[in-house]
Amino acid sequence: MSASRIKEGTPSILGASWDGQGTNFALFSANATKVEVCLFDSTGKREVARVELPEYTNQIYHGYLPDVAPGTFYGYRVHGPYEPEAGHRFNPNKLLLDPYARAHAGELEWNPAVFGYQMESGDDLTFDERDSARFMPKCVVVDPNFDWQGEPGRRFVPWDHTITYETHVKGFTKRHPKVPENLRGTYAGLGQKEVVNYIKSLGVTSVELLPVHTFINDDFLLQKGLTNYWGYNTIGFFAPDPRYASDVPNSLREFKEMVARFHEAGLEVILDVVYNHTAEGNEKGATLSFKGIDNASYYRLMPDQKRYYVNDTGTGNTVNLSHPRVIQMVADSLRYWVQEMHVDGFRFDLGTILAREPHGFDEQSGFLKVSQQDPVLQTVKLIAEPWDCGPGGYQVGGFPPGWAEWNDSFRDTVRDFWRGEATAKALAPRLCASGDKFNHSGRRAWASVNFITAHDGFTLNDTVTYNDKHNEANGEENKDGHSDNRSWNCGVEGPTEDEEINALRTRQMRNMLSTLILSQGTPMLLAGDEFGRTQGGNNNAYCQDNEISWLDWNIEEKGQALIRFTQKLTGLRHKYPILRRTRFLTGEYNEELGVRDVTWINANGGEMQPADWDDSNTRCFGMIMDGRAQVTGIRKRGQDATLLMVVNGWHDVVGFTLPEAPGGKGWELLADTNLPEDAEHAAFEFGTVYQATGRSVLLFLLEPETA
C-alpha cells in the first residue's frame, strides 16, 4: 500500500470502518506525535505496509485507505514521549491493538518473553518490531453486514417477568452430548436448538453471559498450566473473543447467529462487561493497546506519581471514566453491542468504579449521566455489580433510578438463615426485595437482583456440601478465594454415602431455590444449580478451564428431579403476579384498596408481634401476599391470587397454624420442599395445623369463597 494513495478520511467514526471500497482508520490520542497503521498479509504474521495517518483533528488521527477490505489484519504503532513520570508510555516498537477493533485474531496469551514488559526504565524500548508483529494479536477489518433472517430483533422482557440465568459460553456446552463435538464450547454450540430449548424450558427469560469481549490470558496462570477461564481481563471492548468461535474468521457472524437463536426462543441476551480495567496491568504490565496509545488519558494515574496506577480494581489499573473520550469509548461500545449485535442488556463488573470520580462515588458521575440520557441505553437492562475494593466501594442501593443491582445482602442473609445463623427479622426484608436498600427515588422492586450463587463462589450444591473452600487446583496453596462462604456441609465435609445427610442437602438446595425464585425482586440463577452441579468445593474457579468449571450433562435422577422442581418454581412465579410485584411490599394499609400487601404470620397463625421478631428462636414464620394489592391501573379488583409462603428454618418439625384470610375459604398447597413432587393441590381449612418439616419452604394458594 503506497502512502501516496492514502486519503484524509474522517475523524467522526473511530476504529476501522469499511465502506465497500476502502477502510477509514481513526484513533484518539491526546498526547501522541504520530500514528502509523500497519497492514499484514493473510496469515497475519508478515507486515506488508506501514502508513502514517495523515490528519489530526480534535485529537483524532485519521486516514482512508482504498482497497483495504474485510479480513485485513492491522495494528497501530504510536509515536510519542516515553516519560513514565509524566504518565506517558509511548513506544513505536510495539504493535498496538485498536481500542475500537470489531474482531481479533492471533496469539492471545500474554507471555512476557514474547510481548515484553513495559519497565519503568524503558529497557524494552528496543523490543524487536518483527517479534512484536509476529506474536501480537491482530485487529481485523470486518464487514458489519449481517442478514438477521427474520430475527425478531432485540427482546425486552419486562423487569417484573425477568429471571436471569448466568452462564459461560464455553463451559455450558463443552461437555454437552447433544452438541456436535466441533461446536462444543463455542457461540455456535450455545446457539444449538437443543441447548436453547433446554434453557427456555427452565422458565428463565434472560441468559447472562460471562465476559465475551476479547481478553488476554495472564502469564502467571499459563506458567501453572491454567488459564483465565472467566475472562475478566478485557483488551477489546468491541470484539467477541475469537476463542469462543468455531470459525474464527467469522466470529462476529457466529456471535450474531447465536443471539438470533436466543431471540427466536423469546430469550434475552445480557452481557457481563468489564469496563473498569484492562488486561495491561500496572506499571510492570504489558503494553498491548491503551498504554501505548495514550496512557495518561485512558487510565487513572496516581496524582503525584503518574508512573503508577490507581488500583481500585485490584487488578493493577483502573480505566479513567472521568475522561470524555474514554466515556465515549464505553458508550460507543455499549451502543455497538445493542445496535449491531442485538444484545438486550449488560451486567457491569465492579460497577462502582464506573461511577467514581476523583472525589469518590458520584450518583451524577459522567458515565451514569450518559447511561441515563442515552436514547439507546435507556432501552436495555443495566445491572451493576455495586462494589469494588476502592474507597467507598460498597454501594448496594446507591445507583440511580433505572438501574438494577446485584444484591449480596440477599445472598448472605439467605445462606445464613438456612444454616441457622440469621433470624426471621433479618430474612424478612430480603423476601421483600430489600426495600431498606432500594425503596427510594421511585425505584422498583426489580432493582434488587437476588442471587444465592454466582460464578464467583460456591455452587448451590457446594454451599450445602462444604464448610471450607477447596481451591488446591488453583496453585495458590488454597489461599485464594473467600474463606467466609456462609455455607454448611450438613454434618460431613464433601460427598458422603449417608442417605440422611444427602436428603437434607437436597432439601436445603430446594429451600434456597424456593427462597430465591419466590422472593420479590429479580432472581438470578447460576447455570447448573438447577441440577446440583459441583466444582468440588472450589470457590474461585476463575482459572479452571476444565471439568471443574464445565457443566457435566450426565445428570442422575436426583439432578433431574431438581430440574423439575426448578421448573415448578419458575412456573409459579410466572403464573402468580403477586410473586413479582413491581412495587415494594411494605405491610402498610392501602386505603383505596382496603388491603395490606403483606401480613407476617407466626407459627400459631396470628400476626407477628415485636416480641416474635426480636426472638432469635423465631425461625418459622409466614407471609401472606394479598393479591388484591397487586391491582393497579386497568386490572380488576380481586383478579390476582393471594399466596401464603411459610419458611421453617428450625431443625425440627414445627406445627404451623394456617391463618384465616379475607375472601377465601381455605388454603391449597402448591409446594413443599420436603415433598417436591407430591404436594400439589391438597386443600386445608383455616386453622389447620400443618406439620412443616424441619428446614423447609411451603407455598399455599388462597382458595376463593366462590370456588
Side-chain angles (χ1 to χ4, degrees):
M1 170 66 67
S2 172
S4 62
R5 295 198 62 196
I6 191 166
K7 300 179 181 179
E8 177 181 343
T10 176
S12 61
I13 305 175
L14 291 166
S17 306
W18 180 65
D19 63 4
Q21 297 181 332
T23 300
N24 188 85
F25 294 90
L27 181 72
F28 158 75
S29 181
N31 297 291
T33 58
K34 183 172 73 171
V35 172
E36 297 170 304
V37 60
C38 301
L39 306 178
F40 294 84
D41 65 8
S42 60
T43 69
K45 295 181 179 180
R46 186 174 67 88
E47 184 176 314
V48 296
R50 184 180 305 187
V51 182
E52 180 180 351
L53 296 181
E55 296 294 333
Y56 187 57
T57 306
N58 297 328
Q59 299 183 329
I60 295 173
Y61 289 88
H62 56 98
Y64 179 89
L65 291 174
D67 302 325
V68 171
T72 300
F73 296 96
Y74 76 98
Y76 291 115
R77 297 191 188 278
V78 181
H79 299 250
Y82 184 82
E83 299 173 352
E85 68 280 0
H88 303 311
R89 295 178 178 272
F90 295 99
N91 182 355
N93 292 315
K94 289 184 176 292
L95 187 74
L96 303 175
L97 297 174
D98 182 356
Y100 276 71
R102 268 55 172 179
H104 295 112
E107 182 62 67
L108 291 169
E109 315 298 332
W110 172 30
N111 184 333
V114 173
F115 293 154
Y117 282 98
Q118 181 70 65
M119 300 299 288
E120 294 179 28
S121 65
D123 289 343
D124 71 337
L125 289 178
T126 58
F127 189 73
D128 193 300
E129 295 179 11
R130 293 168 300 175
D131 287 344
S132 173
R134 179 182 176 188
F135 291 105
M136 278 290 294
K138 305 298 187 302
C139 306
V140 185
V141 178
V142 303
D143 178 356
N145 296 317
F146 179 77
D147 183 1
W148 288 94
Q149 300 176 349
E151 189 262 354
R154 289 194 297 109
R155 310 295 301 179
F156 186 80
V157 177
W159 268 112
D160 59 316
H161 288 266
T162 300
I163 303 174
T164 60
Y165 186 70
E166 188 195 41
T167 192
H168 187 282
V169 169
K170 182 175 183 179
F172 197 77
T173 65
K174 188 62 178 175
R175 305 173 72 184
H176 202 298
K178 294 185 178 180
V179 174
E181 190 168 353
N182 66 312
L183 300 183
R184 293 177 187 175
T186 69
Y187 304 120
L190 193 60
Q192 291 290 292
K193 183 177 181 179
E194 293 83 358
V195 175
V196 175
N197 287 347
Y198 168 78
I199 295 174
K200 179 72 173 179
S201 76
L202 295 176
V204 300
T205 66
S206 311
V207 179
E208 184 174 306
L209 301 177
L210 267 68
V212 300
H213 291 169
T214 301
F215 66 93
I216 297 293
N217 266 316
D218 318 78
D219 179 64
F220 80 94
L221 290 177
L222 297 175
Q223 291 181 7
K224 297 178 182 179
L226 303 171
T227 62
N228 191 324
Y229 172 69
W230 289 346
Y232 290 92
N233 205 31
T234 304
I235 197 60
F237 298 118
F238 291 79
D241 195 289
R243 283 166 291 200
Y244 300 149
S246 62
D247 180 14
V248 173
N250 292 302
S251 59
L252 198 68
R253 181 176 300 275
E254 189 172 322
F255 181 90
K256 291 179 178 180
E257 289 174 346
M258 176 198 71
V259 172
R261 302 293 82 75
F262 279 117
H263 285 177
E264 287 173 355
L267 295 167
E268 290 182 314
V269 177
I270 296 173
L271 300 186
D272 193 336
V273 289
V274 187
Y275 296 108
N276 56 78
H277 75 281
T278 78
E280 292 185 303
N282 62 15
E283 63 277 0
K284 295 184 178 180
T287 297
L288 305 173
S289 178
F290 309 93
K291 277 184 180 179
I293 293 170
D294 195 346
N295 184 68
S297 294
Y298 278 110
Y299 294 112
R300 293 194 188 277
L301 306 178
M302 299 300 291
D304 54 345
Q305 292 182 303
K306 292 186 178 181
R307 68 170 64 244
Y308 301 116
Y309 296 80
V310 172
N311 188 20
D312 289 343
T313 65
T315 62
N317 65 55
T318 303
V319 173
N320 182 15
L321 265 293
S322 295
H323 194 288
R325 286 294 186 186
V326 180
I327 293 178
Q328 177 191 357
M329 178 189 69
V330 173
D332 286 349
S333 168
L334 294 169
R335 282 191 296 268
Y336 174 78
W337 286 95
V338 173
Q339 295 176 307
E340 296 294 331
M341 310 294 270
H342 286 203
V343 304
D344 308 290
F346 304 94
R347 179 265 188 188
F348 293 84
D349 178 62
L350 302 184
T352 305
I353 287 174
L354 305 181
R356 179 179 285 116
E357 299 291 355
H359 58 272
F361 179 84
D362 188 345
E363 189 178 334
Q364 296 299 315
S365 70
F367 172 74
L368 290 183
K369 286 180 179 178
V370 167
S371 66
Q372 286 176 287
Q373 61 80 37
D374 188 281
V376 174
L377 300 184
Q378 285 183 17
T379 68
V380 301
K381 288 184 167 70
L382 301 176
I383 305 169
E385 181 186 35
W387 53 76
D388 63 41
C389 63
Y394 187 77
Q395 291 292 333
V396 174
F399 276 70
W403 280 77
E405 304 173 38
W406 275 24
N407 184 0
D408 64 333
S409 294
F410 183 92
R411 174 198 63 198
D412 294 348
T413 305
V414 171
R415 287 191 180 194
D416 280 348
F417 181 82
W418 289 114
R419 69 190 181 111
E421 297 293 331
T423 64
K425 188 174 185 178
L427 181 64
R430 307 299 155 241
L431 301 178
C432 296
S434 299
D436 54 330
K437 298 180 180 296
F438 295 98
N439 191 6
H440 62 83
S441 306
R443 300 185 77 179
R444 296 291 188 167
W446 52 257
S448 174
V449 176
N450 301 328
F451 66 104
I452 296 172
T453 57
H455 64 275
D456 187 2
F458 279 156
T459 64
L460 183 64
N461 179 84
D462 291 356
T463 300
V464 301
T465 305
Y466 298 93
N467 283 351
D468 304 308
K469 63 184 180 181
H470 296 270
N471 298 351
E472 290 79 9
N474 296 355
E476 298 182 43
E477 299 179 343
N478 204 33
K479 295 178 181 178
D480 62 304
H482 291 292
S483 296
D484 182 17
N485 294 290
R486 300 172 187 257
S487 59
W488 178 46
N489 64 18
C490 299
V492 174
E493 186 74 355
T496 179
E497 298 297 321
D498 189 309
E499 294 184 4
E500 185 174 338
I501 289 178
N502 285 331
L504 175 57
R505 287 174 175 174
T506 301
R507 190 165 72 252
Q508 285 284 73
M509 285 192 282
R510 290 194 292 263
N511 290 338
M512 285 189 266
L513 286 171
S514 300
T515 310
L516 172 67
I517 297 173
L518 301 181
S519 290
Q520 304 294 309
T522 302
M524 184 186 79
L525 181 67
L526 175 64
D529 277 355
E530 73 272 15
F531 55 79
R533 68 174 285 253
T534 180
Q535 292 181 165
N538 192 320
N539 75 351
N540 189 34
Y542 80 103
C543 56
Q544 298 298 330
D545 188 4
N546 50 46
E547 286 80 2
I548 291 175
S549 297
W550 303 339
L551 272 65
D552 182 359
W553 293 98
N554 183 26
I555 304 172
E556 298 178 353
E557 172 54 30
K558 181 173 67 173
Q560 297 290 352
L562 195 58
I563 289 175
R564 293 192 293 271
F565 186 73
T566 302
Q567 292 168 326
K568 177 179 180 178
L569 292 173
T570 58
L572 291 170
R573 184 177 181 88
H574 289 306
K575 184 175 183 179
Y576 298 111
I578 195 61
L579 291 173
R580 45 184 172 81
R581 194 167 184 258
T582 58
R583 297 182 180 181
F584 288 90
L585 297 177
T586 64
E588 297 178 358
Y589 185 77
N590 186 310
E591 295 284 351
E592 178 185 356
L593 298 175
V595 300
R596 277 192 291 172
D597 51 16
V598 62
T599 303
W600 301 96
I601 305 297
N602 61 31
N604 295 322
E607 289 192 30
M608 291 277 285
Q609 301 299 314
D612 296 320
W613 290 117
D614 293 337
D615 186 350
S616 61
N617 290 319
T618 300
R619 299 297 173 87
C620 182
F621 67 102
M623 57 184 300
I624 297 176
M625 294 165 277
D626 196 320
R628 296 172 299 172
Q630 179 70 9
V631 177
T632 58
I634 64 172
R635 288 195 179 99
K636 295 180 180 179
R637 186 182 181 90
Q639 177 179 343
D640 289 326
T642 291
L643 300 177
L644 165 66
M645 183 165 71
V646 177
V647 292
N648 181 16
W650 192 246
H651 66 273
D652 204 352
V653 174
V654 173
F656 189 92
T657 301
L658 299 178
E660 292 190 22
K665 65 176 183 179
W667 295 100
E668 177 186 337
L669 182 63
L670 298 179
D672 181 339
T673 57
N674 187 52
L675 304 168
E677 299 189 84
D678 302 319
E680 296 180 0
H681 309 308
F684 301 90
E685 296 179 353
F686 294 147
T688 300
V689 178
Y690 188 96
Q691 300 301 312
T693 303
R695 300 191 178 94
S696 65
V697 177
L698 317 168
L699 186 69
F700 295 89
L701 168 68
L702 182 66
E703 290 188 289
E705 292 176 341
T706 56

